[in-house]
Amino acid sequence: MNIQADLKSIIRTIPDYPKAGIQFRDITTLLGDARSFRRAVDELVQPFAGQKIDQIAGIEARGFILGGAVAHQLSAGFIPIRKKGKLPHITVSVAYSLEYGLDEIEIHQDAIQPGEKVLLIDDLIATGGTATGAIELLRKLGADVVAACFVIDLPDLGGAQKIRDLGIPVRALVEFSGH
Ligand code: AMP
């Protein structure tokens, strides 16, 4: 099986979670399979091997698991982007829109040196609200956001295109149609 089909088949889909109409793409089945986890991390890293990447920024919470492994592979640092109220030091925050209402994510104000090359990592991009907010935070701190990387893209929701429109390349390992 090719890598796409392989990874796609090990991601579990939970219909109507957390609410009706959403097909939740559950990567715990991928993470729990040693070979698939390694393969996903290798594939995320591959285009950047040999490039100088200073930091991996991971989005809470599944972006931490993938981002930590990618940071290790690239000998980069790791920066957590968290839900409001979780980071202990001085933070910069941004509000972003969800399907219903607003949410807020934060980063430590001193997490990045201006000009550092940063890869953004999360498990999945849907509408792109979360990733766009994260990019806004990183750019505010002077980061050079080299690319945004995801295991899963839901292209029908347009998020990846939104990121590309900001001038940032997007890498996603598999796609699912619909929500
Ligand atoms: P968005 O801001 O719309 O791009 O949503 C992305 C964030 O919500 C990511 O952190 C995902 O983990 C989570 N998410 C959104 N839709 C799904 C879905 N269908 N299955 C699993 N996670 C999702």
Side-chain angles (χ1 to χ4, degrees):
M1 239 195 292
N2 67 29
I3 164 83
Q4 270 255 345
D6 218 13
L7 286 180
K8 213 168 160 172
S9 64
I10 199 144
I11 295 164
R12 176 165 53 193
T13 297
I14 317 267
D16 299 321
Y17 181 89
K19 55 185 180 220
I22 304 286
Q23 302 265 76
F24 191 87
R25 308 299 178 177
D26 172 23
I27 65 157
T28 62
T29 42
L30 181 156
L31 298 173
D33 180 72
R35 196 172 137 268
S36 302
F37 186 18
R38 183 174 190 102
R39 217 158 163 193
V41 172
D42 284 347
E43 285 295 318
L44 287 171
V45 162
Q46 187 265 324
F48 310 101
Q51 273 187 50
K52 174 94 185 83
I53 300 293
D54 299 299
Q55 304 284 1
I56 307 301
I59 300 174
E60 185 173 0
R62 281 158 284 176
F64 290 179
I65 302 160
L66 296 160
V70 169
H72 175 78
Q73 287 282 88
L74 292 176
S75 299
F78 179 82
I79 296 168
I81 294 177
R82 300 205 63 177
K83 307 273 160 61
K84 190 178 173 56
K86 305 272 186 143
L87 288 169
H89 194 51
I90 302 161
T91 56
V92 179
S93 64
V94 67
Y96 63 98
S97 49
L98 295 169
E99 215 171 333
Y100 302 102
L102 282 181
D103 212 340
E104 225 168 312
I105 47 174
E106 299 184 325
I107 191 169
H108 273 149
Q109 187 191 41
D110 60 358
I112 289 168
Q113 302 300 312
E116 278 192 319
K117 294 195 178 299
V118 178
L119 286 184
L120 179 68
I121 308 255
D122 202 1
D123 65 327
L124 180 148
I125 181 153
T127 65
T130 315
T132 306
I135 288 165
E136 194 179 323
L137 289 178
L138 292 166
R139 285 185 161 171
K140 235 184 221 173
L141 298 188
D144 172 7
V145 183
V146 174
C149 308
F150 307 89
V151 173
I152 303 162
D153 179 20
L154 307 183
D156 297 345
L157 297 184
Q161 192 52 47
K162 245 189 244 167
I163 306 297
R164 292 189 186 102
D165 292 344
L166 295 173
I168 296 175
V170 174
R171 174 162 178 80
L173 306 185
V174 305
E175 292 185 352
F176 287 94
S177 54
H179 282 240

